[in-house]
Amino acid sequence: MVNQTSVTEFILLGVTDIQEPQPFLFVVFLTIYFVNVAGNGAILTVVISDPKLHLPMYFFLGNLACLDICYSTVTLPKMLENLISTNKAISYLGCISQLHFFHFLGTTESLLLAVMAFDRFVAICMPLRYSVIMNPQLCTLMAITAWTIAFLHALLHSVMTSRLNFCASNQIHHFFCDVKPLLELACENTELNLWLLNTVTGTIASVPFFLTLLSYFYIIIYLFLKTHSCSMLRKALSTCASHFMVVILFFAPVVITYIRPASGSSMDQDRIIAIMYSVVTPVLNPLIYTLRNKEVKGALNRLIKRKLCLQET
């Protein structure tokens, strides 16, 4: 019979096992986290405060900005602490909670990106019916549905993982608590957990991705067939290219991580890929998605001018 212990905490081995570059990595990731919070916080502030941005597109962008701040906050503060601390422990409850919120927020973002692609499809291909189709009630319903599905999906993984018994080793070869690294520490059969991870998570990651691609495909076909103005075509394609870049940066690492067989993966590869979608993508979203947008930049300028006027008075 396999020896089993009641695990009360786990040890997160972090981004790298080499000690020398860790102070440098701390500065790099702290800067990234600060830029992420500042950039997405600015987007969220102007979307809420500026009446001109109270439109479906910016409603979803506000959701995305909020998600990106929370998504990085689930993993980055603990990673930063571990880079400068000798105590790399995380409690059992803290580990399961981190796993839950990581999948909750990550799944919400994947669904939200598909909703945003649908919003662009309606805006470009059905401009006369846009305000009727993308009414506030539908936008709110789609956002609530995305958050609810994501919560239930994350709850599935957190409950199934918490039911496992873990062996004597409590060292997680990762910088946060994720399903795959935890399953490697389990004492019992984890085939069901792996099946749920590959099938359910794989489906939730791939279906929004292909729906997003389908939306962009129809947009491009529509533009080439219907648009006779080269400037309008170039502007619309530029917008789609920006959105598509975010989609690729987020979905490609997720699909590689959760659909690839466990036997074909390594912890080092998983850590590098996880940094891409949990650290890098959230900080790039404001730059790619919104700061290139004239209306958002105009709203930011108006907000800054109001702040300066208040300070002068």
Side-chain angles (χ1 to χ4, degrees):
M1 186 174 179
V2 180
N3 289 329
Q4 299 179 4
T5 59
S6 178
V7 174
T8 58
E9 65 178 21
F10 293 98
I11 306 298
L12 293 169
L13 297 183
V15 179
T16 176
D17 301 327
I18 306 170
Q19 296 296 320
E20 287 76 9
Q22 292 195 6
F24 171 74
L25 290 175
F26 174 83
V27 174
V28 170
F29 287 123
L30 180 62
T31 304
I32 290 174
Y33 184 59
F34 175 78
V35 173
N36 173 19
V37 173
N40 284 296
I43 299 304
L44 188 59
T45 301
V46 296
V47 167
I48 293 172
S49 63
D50 197 312
K52 291 184 178 180
L53 299 185
H54 291 175
L55 299 169
M57 175 182 177
Y58 301 107
F59 169 73
F60 294 125
L61 285 175
N63 271 264
L64 183 67
C66 178
L67 270 173
D68 284 335
I69 294 172
C70 297
Y71 194 35
S72 291
T73 302
V74 170
T75 57
L76 262 177
K78 187 62 181 175
M79 182 210 293
L80 292 169
E81 179 190 339
N82 289 346
L83 284 171
I84 58 172
S85 173
T86 55
N87 180 20
K88 302 179 185 296
I90 182 171
S91 67
Y92 178 87
L93 181 60
C95 187
I96 298 298
S97 298
Q98 189 180 55
L99 181 154
H100 174 80
F101 283 103
F102 181 80
H103 282 271
F104 170 38
L105 297 168
T107 303
T108 305
E109 182 151 348
S110 70
L111 296 172
L112 191 62
L113 287 172
V115 170
M116 293 170 75
F118 174 73
D119 171 70
R120 292 297 83 208
F121 166 74
V122 177
I124 294 172
C125 301
M126 306 175 186
L128 298 179
R129 299 173 57 195
Y130 178 71
S131 59
V132 176
I133 296 173
M134 299 302 294
N135 58 72
Q137 292 78 17
L138 180 63
C139 293
T140 304
L141 178 62
M142 287 194 292
I144 291 173
T145 301
W147 286 85
T148 303
I149 291 173
F151 180 83
L152 295 175
H153 169 246
L155 189 64
L156 171 69
H157 285 305
S158 56
V159 169
M160 291 298 295
T161 305
S162 66
R163 290 168 61 88
L164 295 173
N165 292 309
F166 295 96
C167 301
S169 176
N170 64 343
Q171 294 186 344
I172 299 175
H173 292 268
H174 217 308
F175 61 88
F176 69 95
C177 291
D178 200 3
V179 178
K180 272 188 179 180
L182 281 170
L183 294 184
E184 293 192 353
L185 305 180
C187 300
E188 54 194 278
N189 191 304
T190 58
E191 287 184 5
L192 177 59
N193 299 73
L194 285 170
W195 181 85
L196 289 172
L197 186 66
N198 294 329
T199 305
V200 179
T201 304
T203 300
I204 286 182
S206 57
V207 169
F209 177 60
F210 286 115
L211 288 176
T212 303
L213 292 182
L214 187 63
S215 297
Y216 291 141
F217 174 77
Y218 275 111
I219 288 171
I220 292 169
I221 295 297
Y222 174 84
L223 290 172
F224 275 113
L225 293 178
K226 299 289 185 180
T227 305
H228 303 291
S229 169
C230 292
S231 60
M232 282 184 62
L233 179 61
R234 195 182 307 113
K235 181 181 178 181
L237 289 177
S238 175
T239 302
C240 289
S242 299
H243 295 185
F244 187 71
M245 195 184 305
V246 172
V247 169
I248 293 297
L249 285 172
F250 179 79
F251 278 108
V254 171
V255 170
I256 291 171
T257 300
Y258 294 108
I259 294 183
R260 180 183 53 181
S263 58
S265 64
S266 72
M267 284 299 110
D268 289 337
Q269 288 177 340
D270 286 346
R271 281 186 281 196
I272 293 170
I273 292 171
I275 288 173
M276 279 298 299
Y277 62 80
S278 66
V279 178
V280 177
T281 302
V283 79
L284 290 178
N285 280 350
L287 300 173
I288 296 173
Y289 246 119
T290 54
L291 296 183
R292 293 183 62 197
N293 185 297
K294 291 182 180 179
E295 291 182 356
V296 174
K297 287 193 287 187
L300 282 170
N301 290 331
R302 289 192 294 271
L303 180 64
I304 292 170
K305 287 178 181 177
R306 286 200 301 270
K307 294 289 185 183
L308 291 175
C309 290
L310 288 173
Q311 288 179 357
E312 289 176 359
T313 55

